[in-house]
């Protein structure tokens, strides 16, 4: 439920996340889930409704996980 609530907050304040050019040149932002700090939400801030690309465990190779999606 916390991940869904976080996604709803991001939909209202989509620029809260961070761009990570060191991980991907894609126009996505990253946000760590407060109650589950090992999880990262990757999303497109400019879309309406908010497009969540992935919810990933932080120990994964984020670059590789995102490359598989695009």
């Amino acid at each position: 439920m916390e991940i869904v609530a976080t996604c709803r907050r991001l939909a209202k304040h989509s620029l809260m996340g961070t761009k990570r050019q060191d991980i991907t040149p894609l126009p996505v932002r990253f946000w760590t889930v407060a109650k589950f700090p090992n999880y990262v939400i990757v999303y497109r801030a400019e879309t309406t409704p908010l497009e969540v690309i992935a919810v990933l465990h932080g120990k994964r190779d984020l670059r590789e996980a995102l490359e598989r999606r695009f």
Side-chain angles (χ1 to χ4, degrees):
M1 189 67 179
E2 181 64 26
I3 291 174
V4 172
T6 301
C7 289
R8 287 185 178 141
R9 280 192 297 278
L10 289 171
K12 292 179 182 178
H13 308 284
S14 63
L15 298 179
M16 289 190 331
T18 305
K19 292 182 180 180
R20 295 288 309 270
Q21 296 295 320
D22 58 316
I23 295 175
T24 182
L26 296 170
V28 296
R29 289 182 176 261
F30 294 76
W31 186 261
T32 302
V33 180
K35 289 188 179 178
F36 301 100
N38 290 327
Y39 287 89
V40 176
I41 298 171
V42 183
Y43 67 97
R44 292 185 189 266
E46 72 281 352
T47 60
T48 303
L50 186 78
E51 180 182 1
V52 175
I53 303 299
V55 178
L56 302 169
H57 192 280
K59 289 194 177 192
R60 289 190 62 185
D61 182 336
L62 300 179
R63 181 179 292 134
E64 180 183 329
L66 291 174
E67 284 176 357
R68 289 184 188 175
R69 286 169 166 58
F70 295 96

